[in-house]
Amino acid sequence: MSEAVYAPSAGGSPAVDPLPLTGERTVPGIPEENYWFRRHEIAYARLLEHCAGRVVLEAGSGEGYGANMIADVAARVIGLDYDAGAVEHVRAAYPRVEMLQGNLAELPLDDASVDVVVNFQVIEHLWDQAQFLRECLRVLRPGGRLLISTPNRITFSPGRDTPLNPFHTRELNAAELAELLVAAGFRVELMTGVHHGPNLVALDDKWGGSIIDAQIERALAGEPWPSELAADVAAVRLEDFELSVENIDASLDLVAIAGKP
Protein backbone atom coordinates (compact mmCIF):
# COMPACT_ATOMS: atom_id res chain seq x y z
CA MET A 1 0.00 0.00 0.00
CA SER A 2 1.21 3.50 -0.75
CA GLU A 3 2.02 6.08 1.90
CA ALA A 4 1.65 9.84 1.81
CA VAL A 5 2.49 12.85 3.92
CA TYR A 6 -0.70 14.20 5.50
CA ALA A 7 -1.66 17.25 7.47
CA PRO A 8 -3.27 16.57 10.87
CA SER A 9 -6.71 17.98 11.60
CA ALA A 10 -7.34 21.13 13.60
CA GLY A 11 -4.99 21.45 16.53
CA GLY A 12 -2.25 19.39 14.91
CA SER A 13 1.21 20.49 13.88
CA PRO A 14 2.31 21.05 10.26
CA ALA A 15 2.62 18.00 8.03
CA VAL A 16 4.25 15.02 9.76
CA ASP A 17 5.33 11.77 8.13
CA PRO A 18 2.71 9.06 8.77
CA LEU A 19 3.38 6.02 10.88
CA PRO A 20 3.96 2.83 8.86
CA LEU A 21 1.08 0.40 8.49
CA THR A 22 1.68 -2.67 10.64
CA GLY A 23 -1.69 -4.46 10.65
CA GLU A 24 -2.27 -3.33 14.24
CA ARG A 25 -3.45 0.20 13.48
CA THR A 26 -4.94 2.30 10.73
CA VAL A 27 -3.66 5.73 9.79
CA PRO A 28 -5.18 8.68 7.92
CA GLY A 29 -4.01 10.00 4.58
CA ILE A 30 -3.53 6.67 2.76
CA PRO A 31 -6.15 6.21 0.00
CA GLU A 32 -6.08 2.39 0.08
CA GLU A 33 -6.55 2.49 3.85
CA ASN A 34 -9.48 4.92 3.73
CA TYR A 35 -12.24 2.32 4.22
CA TRP A 36 -10.72 1.09 7.48
CA PHE A 37 -9.88 4.59 8.66
CA ARG A 38 -13.47 5.79 8.16
CA ARG A 39 -14.81 2.62 9.78
CA HIS A 40 -12.74 3.33 12.89
CA GLU A 41 -13.48 7.06 12.80
CA ILE A 42 -17.24 6.53 13.16
CA ALA A 43 -16.91 5.52 16.82
CA TYR A 44 -15.03 8.71 17.67
CA ALA A 45 -17.48 10.90 15.79
CA ARG A 46 -20.63 9.39 17.27
CA LEU A 47 -19.39 9.16 20.87
CA LEU A 48 -17.51 12.47 20.97
CA GLU A 49 -20.29 14.15 22.99
CA HIS A 50 -19.47 11.93 25.97
CA CYS A 51 -16.01 13.53 26.11
CA ALA A 52 -17.14 17.15 26.08
CA GLY A 53 -15.59 19.16 28.92
CA ARG A 54 -14.11 16.07 30.54
CA VAL A 55 -10.69 14.64 31.36
CA VAL A 56 -10.21 11.80 28.88
CA LEU A 57 -7.69 8.98 28.66
CA GLU A 58 -7.34 7.22 25.33
CA ALA A 59 -5.82 3.87 26.25
CA GLY A 60 -4.11 2.56 23.16
CA SER A 61 -4.11 5.80 21.18
CA GLY A 62 -2.08 4.48 18.23
CA GLU A 63 -1.54 7.07 15.49
CA GLY A 64 -3.28 9.73 17.59
CA TYR A 65 -5.87 11.09 15.16
CA GLY A 66 -8.69 10.00 17.48
CA ALA A 67 -7.16 11.61 20.55
CA ASN A 68 -6.79 14.77 18.50
CA MET A 69 -10.50 14.64 17.60
CA ILE A 70 -11.33 14.27 21.29
CA ALA A 71 -9.15 17.30 22.05
CA ASP A 72 -11.62 19.42 20.07
CA VAL A 73 -14.20 19.03 22.86
CA ALA A 74 -12.47 17.66 26.00
CA ALA A 75 -10.99 19.67 28.85
CA ARG A 76 -7.85 17.51 28.76
CA VAL A 77 -6.76 14.49 26.71
CA ILE A 78 -4.16 11.97 27.86
CA GLY A 79 -2.93 9.47 25.30
CA LEU A 80 -1.30 6.17 26.21
CA ASP A 81 0.45 3.68 23.97
CA TYR A 82 3.05 0.96 24.46
CA ASP A 83 4.84 1.66 21.17
CA ALA A 84 7.61 4.26 21.52
CA GLY A 85 7.37 5.27 17.86
CA ALA A 86 3.66 5.96 18.18
CA VAL A 87 4.25 8.01 21.33
CA GLU A 88 6.82 10.22 19.62
CA HIS A 89 4.63 10.57 16.54
CA VAL A 90 1.65 11.78 18.58
CA ARG A 91 3.81 14.26 20.47
CA ALA A 92 5.02 15.71 17.16
CA ALA A 93 1.75 15.61 15.23
CA TYR A 94 -0.86 16.36 17.90
CA PRO A 95 0.56 18.66 20.60
CA ARG A 96 -2.81 19.04 22.36
CA VAL A 97 -2.57 15.39 23.48
CA GLU A 98 -0.56 14.68 26.67
CA MET A 99 1.18 11.52 25.55
CA LEU A 100 2.42 8.77 27.86
CA GLN A 101 4.18 5.50 27.14
CA GLY A 102 3.02 2.51 29.17
CA ASN A 103 1.40 -0.88 29.41
CA LEU A 104 -2.39 -1.11 29.27
CA ALA A 105 -2.28 -3.87 31.88
CA GLU A 106 -1.02 -1.31 34.43
CA LEU A 107 -2.30 2.14 33.51
CA PRO A 108 0.17 4.80 34.74
CA LEU A 109 -2.55 6.97 36.28
CA ASP A 110 -3.88 7.49 39.79
CA ASP A 111 -7.11 5.98 41.02
CA ALA A 112 -10.24 7.95 40.06
CA SER A 113 -8.25 10.46 38.01
CA VAL A 114 -10.18 10.64 34.70
CA ASP A 115 -13.80 11.05 33.64
CA VAL A 116 -13.71 8.98 30.45
CA VAL A 117 -11.56 6.16 29.10
CA VAL A 118 -11.63 5.65 25.33
CA ASN A 119 -10.49 2.29 23.93
CA PHE A 120 -11.30 1.86 20.25
CA GLN A 121 -10.14 -1.16 18.26
CA VAL A 122 -7.59 -2.18 20.90
CA ILE A 123 -8.98 -4.76 23.34
CA GLU A 124 -8.82 -7.51 20.69
CA HIS A 125 -5.01 -7.12 20.74
CA LEU A 126 -4.63 -7.63 24.50
CA TRP A 127 -3.65 -10.85 26.22
CA ASP A 128 -5.37 -10.06 29.53
CA GLN A 129 -8.57 -8.26 28.61
CA ALA A 130 -10.11 -8.64 32.07
CA GLN A 131 -7.10 -7.05 33.77
CA PHE A 132 -7.22 -4.11 31.37
CA LEU A 133 -10.91 -3.50 32.09
CA ARG A 134 -10.26 -3.60 35.83
CA GLU A 135 -7.57 -0.97 35.31
CA CYS A 136 -10.04 1.18 33.37
CA LEU A 137 -12.49 0.94 36.26
CA ARG A 138 -9.75 1.88 38.72
CA VAL A 139 -8.68 5.10 36.98
CA LEU A 140 -12.24 6.27 36.31
CA ARG A 141 -14.01 8.55 38.73
CA PRO A 142 -17.35 7.37 40.14
CA GLY A 143 -19.92 7.85 37.39
CA GLY A 144 -17.21 7.87 34.72
CA ARG A 145 -17.57 6.07 31.41
CA LEU A 146 -15.60 3.64 29.29
CA LEU A 147 -16.16 4.04 25.55
CA ILE A 148 -15.03 0.90 23.75
CA SER A 149 -15.13 -0.60 20.26
CA THR A 150 -13.86 -3.88 18.85
CA PRO A 151 -14.42 -6.05 15.76
CA ASN A 152 -17.46 -8.29 16.03
CA ARG A 153 -16.06 -11.84 16.13
CA ILE A 154 -19.11 -13.24 14.35
CA THR A 155 -18.53 -11.21 11.19
CA PHE A 156 -14.80 -10.49 11.42
CA SER A 157 -13.62 -14.11 11.78
CA PRO A 158 -16.75 -16.05 10.78
CA GLY A 159 -16.91 -19.71 11.76
CA ARG A 160 -13.57 -19.64 13.58
CA ASP A 161 -12.48 -20.05 17.18
CA THR A 162 -9.24 -18.14 16.57
CA PRO A 163 -8.92 -14.70 14.92
CA LEU A 164 -8.07 -14.35 11.25
CA ASN A 165 -5.97 -11.29 12.03
CA PRO A 166 -2.59 -12.49 13.37
CA PHE A 167 -2.34 -9.39 15.60
CA HIS A 168 -5.57 -10.23 17.46
CA THR A 169 -5.45 -12.40 20.56
CA ARG A 170 -9.18 -12.74 21.25
CA GLU A 171 -12.15 -11.32 19.39
CA LEU A 172 -15.55 -10.90 21.00
CA ASN A 173 -19.21 -10.94 20.13
CA ALA A 174 -21.68 -8.60 21.82
CA ALA A 175 -22.60 -11.02 24.61
CA GLU A 176 -18.95 -11.79 25.37
CA LEU A 177 -18.01 -8.10 25.49
CA ALA A 178 -20.91 -7.34 27.81
CA GLU A 179 -19.93 -10.26 30.06
CA LEU A 180 -16.35 -8.97 30.34
CA LEU A 181 -17.51 -5.45 31.16
CA VAL A 182 -19.92 -6.59 33.87
CA ALA A 183 -17.34 -8.94 35.39
CA ALA A 184 -14.92 -6.00 35.67
CA GLY A 185 -17.49 -3.99 37.60
CA PHE A 186 -19.04 -1.87 34.84
CA ARG A 187 -22.69 -1.25 34.05
CA VAL A 188 -23.35 -1.58 30.29
CA GLU A 189 -25.30 1.50 29.20
CA LEU A 190 -25.26 0.91 25.44
CA MET A 191 -24.27 -1.93 23.13
CA THR A 192 -24.50 -1.01 19.48
CA GLY A 193 -22.86 -1.96 16.20
CA VAL A 194 -21.29 -0.47 13.06
CA HIS A 195 -23.09 -1.34 9.81
CA HIS A 196 -22.71 -0.39 6.18
CA GLY A 197 -25.04 2.37 5.08
CA PRO A 198 -26.75 2.44 1.64
CA ASN A 199 -23.67 3.59 -0.32
CA LEU A 200 -21.50 0.80 1.08
CA VAL A 201 -24.25 -1.77 0.60
CA ALA A 202 -24.28 -0.75 -3.07
CA LEU A 203 -20.48 -1.13 -3.22
CA ASP A 204 -20.78 -4.58 -1.64
CA ASP A 205 -23.09 -5.56 -4.49
CA LYS A 206 -20.78 -4.00 -7.06
CA TRP A 207 -17.73 -5.91 -5.80
CA GLY A 208 -19.15 -9.41 -5.75
CA GLY A 209 -20.90 -9.24 -2.37
CA SER A 210 -18.21 -7.62 -0.20
CA ILE A 211 -16.02 -4.58 -0.74
CA ILE A 212 -14.04 -5.78 2.29
CA ASP A 213 -13.18 -9.07 0.59
CA ALA A 214 -12.31 -7.21 -2.62
CA GLN A 215 -9.78 -5.08 -0.73
CA ILE A 216 -8.28 -8.03 1.13
CA GLU A 217 -7.92 -10.02 -2.08
CA ARG A 218 -5.99 -7.24 -3.78
CA ALA A 219 -3.82 -6.55 -0.73
CA LEU A 220 -2.86 -10.23 -0.43
CA ALA A 221 -2.09 -10.42 -4.13
CA GLY A 222 0.61 -7.78 -3.70
CA GLU A 223 -0.33 -6.15 -7.00
CA PRO A 224 -1.59 -2.66 -7.86
CA TRP A 225 -5.28 -2.18 -7.17
CA PRO A 226 -7.70 -1.86 -10.08
CA SER A 227 -8.25 1.87 -10.54
CA GLU A 228 -12.01 1.55 -10.03
CA LEU A 229 -11.63 -0.27 -6.71
CA ALA A 230 -9.02 2.25 -5.54
CA ALA A 231 -11.37 5.10 -6.43
CA ASP A 232 -14.34 3.51 -4.64
CA VAL A 233 -12.31 2.90 -1.48
CA ALA A 234 -10.80 6.40 -1.49
CA ALA A 235 -14.29 7.91 -1.75
CA VAL A 236 -15.71 6.18 1.35
CA ARG A 237 -16.98 8.72 3.88
CA LEU A 238 -17.66 8.63 7.59
CA GLU A 239 -21.34 9.06 6.74
CA ASP A 240 -21.34 5.79 4.80
CA PHE A 241 -21.29 3.89 8.12
CA GLU A 242 -24.17 3.64 10.56
CA LEU A 243 -24.45 2.79 14.25
CA SER A 244 -27.46 0.69 15.18
CA VAL A 245 -28.56 -1.50 18.10
CA GLU A 246 -30.60 -3.58 15.67
CA ASN A 247 -29.28 -6.92 14.40
CA ILE A 248 -26.12 -6.51 16.44
CA ASP A 249 -24.78 -9.98 15.66
CA ALA A 250 -24.58 -8.91 11.99
CA SER A 251 -22.63 -5.74 12.81
CA LEU A 252 -19.08 -5.19 11.61
CA ASP A 253 -17.76 -3.70 14.86
CA LEU A 254 -19.19 -3.47 18.36
CA VAL A 255 -19.39 -0.09 20.09
CA ALA A 256 -20.28 0.04 23.79
CA ILE A 257 -20.64 2.59 26.56
CA ALA A 258 -20.04 1.25 30.07
CA GLY A 259 -20.39 3.22 33.27
CA LYS A 260 -18.59 3.02 36.59
CA PRO A 261 -21.16 2.95 39.43
Side-chain angles (χ1 to χ4, degrees):
M1 294 185 181
S2 64
E3 295 190 1
V5 174
Y6 69 97
S9 62
S13 68
V16 174
D17 288 342
L19 286 175
L21 292 174
T22 64
E24 288 190 277
R25 59 178 170 240
T26 187
V27 302
I30 300 177
E32 295 93 338
E33 185 72 5
N34 183 57
Y35 169 88
W36 297 102
F37 173 69
R38 300 301 178 189
R39 180 166 150 179
H40 290 185
E41 188 184 28
I42 184 71
Y44 290 100
R46 296 293 182 265
L47 272 59
L48 205 58
E49 62 185 281
H50 299 286
C51 300
R54 293 175 169 85
V55 177
V56 181
L57 166 68
E58 183 168 21
S61 51
E63 195 277 339
Y65 70 87
N68 192 53
M69 289 176 65
I70 295 167
D72 287 338
V73 301
R76 179 187 177 198
V77 181
I78 304 162
L80 175 66
D81 205 274
Y82 187 74
D83 181 74
V87 170
E88 292 306 314
H89 172 83
V90 174
R91 287 173 177 164
Y94 308 114
R96 296 184 299 176
V97 179
E98 300 174 32
M99 198 63 200
L100 302 175
Q101 184 178 6
N103 194 323
L104 269 61
E106 295 182 8
L107 299 178
L109 279 79
D110 293 336
D111 295 356
S113 57
V114 299
D115 302 306
V116 179
V117 175
V118 173
N119 183 249
F120 290 157
Q121 303 295 319
V122 172
I123 194 171
E124 66 275 5
H125 297 275
L126 304 182
W127 289 104
D128 196 338
Q129 297 172 342
Q131 168 65 13
F132 166 67
L133 293 177
R134 289 191 295 269
E135 279 290 280
C136 291
L137 191 78
R138 178 184 66 78
V139 302
L140 279 168
R141 295 174 178 138
R145 287 192 171 112
L146 168 65
L147 314 179
I148 188 167
S149 75
T150 189
N152 178 8
R153 176 176 60 80
I154 297 172
T155 57
F156 203 81
S157 298
R160 293 175 57 97
D161 294 327
T162 56
L164 282 170
N165 187 318
F167 295 102
H168 292 180
T169 60
R170 181 194 177 196
E171 295 169 356
L172 305 162
N173 63 28
E176 291 163 344
L177 177 57
E179 182 180 5
L180 272 177
L181 290 167
V182 171
F186 285 98
R187 178 182 63 254
V188 179
E189 300 177 0
L190 175 70
M191 182 70 69
T192 187
V194 176
H195 298 262
H196 281 176
N199 288 343
L200 281 168
V201 169
L203 286 178
D204 282 332
D205 291 339
K206 176 180 177 179
W207 292 102
S210 173
I211 191 171
I212 299 172
D213 289 347
Q215 294 176 78
I216 293 173
E217 179 183 344
R218 299 315 305 167
L220 292 177
E223 300 172 356
W225 288 30
S227 59
E228 192 172 4
L229 176 61
D232 284 345
V233 169
V236 172
R237 305 167 302 153
L238 171 70
E239 295 79 10
D240 293 330
F241 294 94
E242 298 176 350
L243 282 186
S244 174
V245 298
E246 304 297 327
N247 202 15
I248 196 161
D249 284 345
S251 66
L252 302 166
D253 300 309
L254 305 170
V255 180
I257 300 174
K260 177 175 179 175

